[in-house]
Amino acid sequence: MVGNTAYVASRAKSRRKKLADLARMRQLINQSTDQLTASVSNMGYADEVNLYAGKLTGADLVEAALTHNLEAELFDILKMCNGKIRDIVEIYTSRFEYQNAKVVLRSVVNEVSIEKVSNSILPDLNEINTPWLKIIETADDLRSAALQMRRKSFGSDLKALPEDARLSEYEDALDRHYFKSALKSLKANNPATRYLKDYLSMEIDHRNMLNILEANSIGISSEETSKLLIPGGKILPSRSFSTIAAGGKSALLDILRSSARFDMAHFEMLLEEVAKSRSLDSIVTWFKEREYKFMKKMSYLHPISALPIVYYVAMKVQEVADLRIIVRGRFAGLPAEVLEAHIL
């Protein structure tokens, strides 16, 4: 058991060092669209670029290659793990199944063609995506798509929603199920497990803060706001939900000001930016930075545990997300400063 943990943690650290840093990402932002495909290919995605080159071009080619590579990497990392170490890593990687479920539900609601989905976010040359694409192809509406997921771990929660439930309600149900299941699965009382639970609690707090700010901006009722909040956070514990739902943004800020573990001064500065830009992007980016700093710290404090492996997976996912933003943005003609503001 210890031998496998040390081995996989070492492999994860080695792979993490090969990921692109921010300087490399900035170089890509300033490249032409013709240069981008070759550059991404040379960053470790050559096999996947070659795989899809026969059927796709441009941004579609790069995005399909990135997604395929990430899916293969997640599978490979889990295959290397065994026993308890696999169980812990899988708690984190299982979130991507929930993300795929959201992609399917959004595609059905928005009537996105199967060709478009299979050429980007769920590439069809990877057999892992075949069941998801089948649901998109055969579902008549949101409800029928959800029912086809009934055998998933979250299937019963989706089925329990009202017949006329909106897409947002299905997505909220997926989020609640993931975090509840993940926190429940982290039973062992050891430092590494506690750190991962604290990380998940941070994600929940961030998700709740964003939901409250969004609810405030569109003026939804306190009852609807309370339905958006996910239990499990530490800065915003469940006992504060009724106060927050009733008081909205002002109640949220009062609670945050009393927290010693939150940089309220920086948050208030970002709120001023949000008021001017009418976008939560700066807060989303800051939350991501907080999460990754915490994850980096926990991986170094417990070098022979699941944490360095989870940290690598998170960084690999972020690399792919940043590359997607750069590629899609450059092909769409977005200016470099806009793209740079959206990558970590």
Side-chain angles (χ1 to χ4, degrees):
M1 179 59 210
V2 175
N4 180 256
T5 302
Y7 168 74
V8 183
S10 177
R11 292 285 300 274
K13 290 175 187 175
S14 176
R15 295 186 184 195
R16 192 184 71 236
K17 291 177 181 178
K18 297 178 182 178
L19 298 177
D21 58 15
L22 192 55
R24 179 64 176 132
M25 291 295 182
R26 285 174 175 147
Q27 289 176 357
L28 293 176
I29 288 174
N30 293 295
Q31 289 186 351
S32 68
T33 53
D34 291 336
Q35 293 173 314
L36 268 180
T37 301
S39 295
V40 172
S41 180
N42 292 333
M43 291 170 62
Y45 299 91
D47 290 345
E48 291 78 15
V49 168
N50 292 335
L51 180 65
Y52 286 92
K55 60 175 293 191
L56 301 173
T57 59
D60 287 340
L61 167 60
V62 181
E63 186 163 6
L66 290 169
T67 303
H68 193 119
N69 178 280
L70 177 59
E71 290 170 338
E73 187 70 358
L74 294 177
F75 179 81
D76 190 46
I77 285 290
L78 277 177
K79 189 172 66 174
M80 283 194 285
C81 302
N82 61 36
K84 293 180 180 179
I85 193 74
R86 180 187 174 99
D87 294 340
I88 296 174
V89 174
E90 203 161 18
I91 287 169
Y92 187 82
T93 59
S94 67
R95 63 179 53 201
F96 302 111
E97 182 174 46
Y98 291 77
Q99 289 184 11
N100 285 346
K102 289 181 181 181
V103 169
V104 169
L105 295 174
R106 291 169 187 168
S107 299
V108 171
V109 167
N110 296 310
E111 298 182 351
V112 181
S113 69
I114 188 73
E115 290 78 17
K116 187 171 183 178
V117 180
S118 65
N119 287 346
S120 56
I121 201 68
L122 295 173
D124 56 3
L125 294 185
N126 190 342
E127 294 180 357
I128 294 174
N129 296 320
T130 301
W132 297 114
L133 294 171
K134 187 68 175 178
I135 295 175
I136 296 174
E137 188 176 27
T138 59
D140 297 321
D141 53 27
L142 185 60
R143 188 66 179 177
S144 64
L147 290 176
Q148 290 187 59
M149 301 181 199
R150 61 187 178 277
R151 292 188 176 86
K152 299 289 185 182
S153 62
F154 47 77
S156 58
D157 282 35
L158 298 185
K159 188 177 179 181
L161 291 171
E163 291 280 344
D164 59 348
R166 305 184 301 273
L167 173 62
S168 60
E169 293 175 282
Y170 279 96
E171 293 187 333
D172 290 342
L174 287 167
D175 288 340
R176 284 193 296 272
H177 186 277
Y178 169 71
F179 284 112
K180 181 180 180 180
S181 300
L183 290 172
K184 185 179 179 181
S185 297
L186 291 169
K187 296 177 181 178
N189 189 22
N190 60 65
T193 300
R194 287 197 298 271
Y195 260 98
L196 188 53
K197 290 181 75 171
D198 286 345
Y199 173 79
L200 293 174
S201 293
M202 176 183 282
E203 283 192 315
I204 293 170
D205 279 326
H206 288 165
R207 189 76 58 90
N208 285 337
M209 290 178 207
L210 288 171
N211 284 338
I212 295 163
L213 294 174
E214 288 176 351
N216 178 80
S217 67
I218 61 177
I220 71 171
S221 67
S222 59
E223 182 181 355
E224 288 295 314
T225 300
S226 65
K227 294 178 181 178
L228 299 174
L229 303 179
I230 303 170
K234 290 194 172 182
I235 297 177
L236 304 179
S238 300
R239 64 178 179 273
S240 68
F241 286 0
S242 57
T243 301
I244 293 172
K249 179 181 175 181
S250 61
L252 167 66
L253 297 181
D254 287 341
I255 294 173
L256 293 179
R257 288 189 185 102
S258 65
S259 174
R261 66 179 77 185
F262 191 74
D263 186 351
M264 189 61 190
H266 188 72
F267 187 63
E268 289 182 319
M269 183 186 70
L270 292 176
L271 286 176
E272 292 178 3
E273 292 183 20
V274 167
K276 294 176 182 177
S277 66
R278 297 179 180 272
S279 169
L280 291 170
D281 284 354
S282 59
I283 291 179
V284 171
T285 300
W286 184 57
F287 282 169
K288 282 295 181 186
E289 289 173 353
R290 292 185 81 234
E291 291 166 11
Y292 289 135
K293 284 179 182 176
F294 185 92
M295 189 177 284
K296 181 178 181 179
K297 178 181 176 182
M298 73 182 190
S299 72
Y300 288 133
L301 286 174
H302 302 280
I304 303 180
S305 72
L307 300 184
I309 306 166
V310 171
Y311 179 46
Y312 164 67
V313 171
M315 292 299 97
K316 174 68 177 180
V317 171
Q318 188 60 49
E319 177 182 82
V320 169
D322 286 345
L323 289 173
R324 279 178 178 154
I325 290 172
I326 292 169
V327 171
R328 282 293 177 187
R330 292 298 292 138
F331 275 87
L334 294 178
E337 58 270 21
V338 172
L339 297 177
E340 188 166 337
H342 286 79
I343 64 172
L344 293 179

